[in-house]
Amino acid sequence: AQAVLFSKACHPAFTHLGPHPTARFAMPKSKRNKVITLTKTKKRPKEKKDALIEEIRESCEKYKRVFLVSIENDRNTFLQVLRQKMRPGRLICAKNKVMQLALGTTPAQECQEGVHKIAERITGHVGLLFSDSAPADVQKLFAEYRPQDYARSGAEATETVVLPRGVDTLAKLPHSIEAHLRQLGMPTQLLDGKIHLLGDFTVCKTGAELTSDQAQILRLLEIKQAQFTLTVEAHWSKDGKFVDCNDLED
């Protein structure tokens, strides 16, 4: 019987049965016992919030002035460029409630004397710029740096765009995109490898909110209708001076 078992185990026809039942295998390592270093663990939301509040208060102590700036057509790439230009100043964009909590919304809660007036005006899409630069220099920088970009869905059209019928209007686009243009609502047809616009087509009208299809068409045509802008709404300085720029405009 032992000889028969031996011959079956060794015969090629039985090799698919795997190793002999008495063979030993190493058990896979349990993931439950995996050690994770503390440096790789993610911070909890409350820890991030507390750290951000502390960062804002430290910046308020470090720099001479705090600027409340409104941001229009926010783009991370443009913000990074501005951050480089504003160094050693710091631009912090966070949730409005967090920025208000950090600065303090009343004289009793404020982290610096009089800075609660900045916190009171935090509304909409805004950020806090901490800097030693004079207000005129900051406003000049913002006025000089206003790059254009493609408008996104939901943005307001800044001009009316009407495309004339014919083959020249879409000549710069590859013929392979013709089917996609039809899906976007454009009356097009592919003839002799060229895209023909079968009739005048209004992409958007001034003041109207752009749809996703309209935003895509403008991008394909390389028409930029969004301008990235930062505007100083108010500023505060350590000498207690507070200026609401909206009052100056009035």
Side-chain angles (χ1 to χ4, degrees), residues 27-214:
M27 294 295 291
K29 292 182 179 180
S30 173
K31 293 184 179 181
R32 295 180 180 177
N33 296 329
K34 187 175 180 180
V35 177
I36 301 176
T37 57
L38 293 176
T39 55
K40 293 183 179 180
T41 57
K42 293 183 179 179
K43 287 186 177 181
R44 296 178 181 178
K46 188 178 185 306
E47 292 176 349
K48 288 184 177 181
K49 177 182 174 182
D50 292 344
L52 187 55
I53 289 174
E54 186 62 27
E55 182 182 357
I56 291 173
R57 289 174 177 171
E58 288 178 356
S59 298
C60 200
E61 171 67 27
K62 179 180 179 181
Y63 296 95
K64 295 179 181 178
R65 295 182 178 87
V66 180
F67 297 85
L68 177 64
V69 296
S70 59
I71 307 171
E72 188 174 351
N73 295 311
D74 187 1
R75 302 291 189 272
N76 286 332
T77 303
F78 298 152
L79 277 176
Q80 291 302 325
V81 173
L82 263 184
R83 283 191 168 100
Q84 293 286 341
K85 292 177 177 290
M86 291 184 294
R87 286 184 176 180
R90 298 201 62 184
L91 176 63
I92 296 179
C93 300
K95 291 182 178 180
N96 289 354
K97 288 185 178 180
V98 173
M99 293 189 290
Q100 288 175 325
L101 181 61
L103 295 179
T105 55
T106 65
Q109 297 172 337
E110 61 188 11
C111 62
Q112 294 287 325
E113 187 174 353
V115 79
H116 75 277
K117 295 178 181 179
I118 291 286
E120 288 176 344
R121 287 162 176 78
I122 293 178
T123 182
H125 188 28
V126 296
L128 296 174
L129 170 62
F130 300 90
S131 176
D132 292 332
S133 299
D137 294 334
V138 173
Q139 291 172 330
K140 181 182 177 183
L141 174 61
F142 290 170
E144 292 175 347
Y145 187 73
R146 294 191 171 188
Q148 295 282 340
D149 195 17
Y150 298 110
R152 296 173 178 173
S153 174
E156 185 177 297
T158 58
E159 61 179 327
T160 298
V161 177
V162 179
L163 304 178
R165 62 179 297 179
V167 68
D168 296 331
T169 301
L170 306 173
K172 293 182 179 180
L173 299 179
H175 65 84
S176 58
I177 205 172
E178 190 272 331
H180 181 57
L181 294 178
R182 277 187 281 113
Q183 291 178 349
L184 295 176
M186 298 183 69
T188 61
Q189 186 176 9
L190 188 63
L191 296 171
D192 299 326
K194 295 182 180 180
I195 302 175
H196 292 251
L197 189 61
L198 303 179
D200 293 348
F201 180 74
T202 301
V203 180
C204 60
K205 294 183 179 181
T206 304
E209 185 176 300
L210 293 174
T211 65
S212 177
D213 289 350
Q214 290 172 325

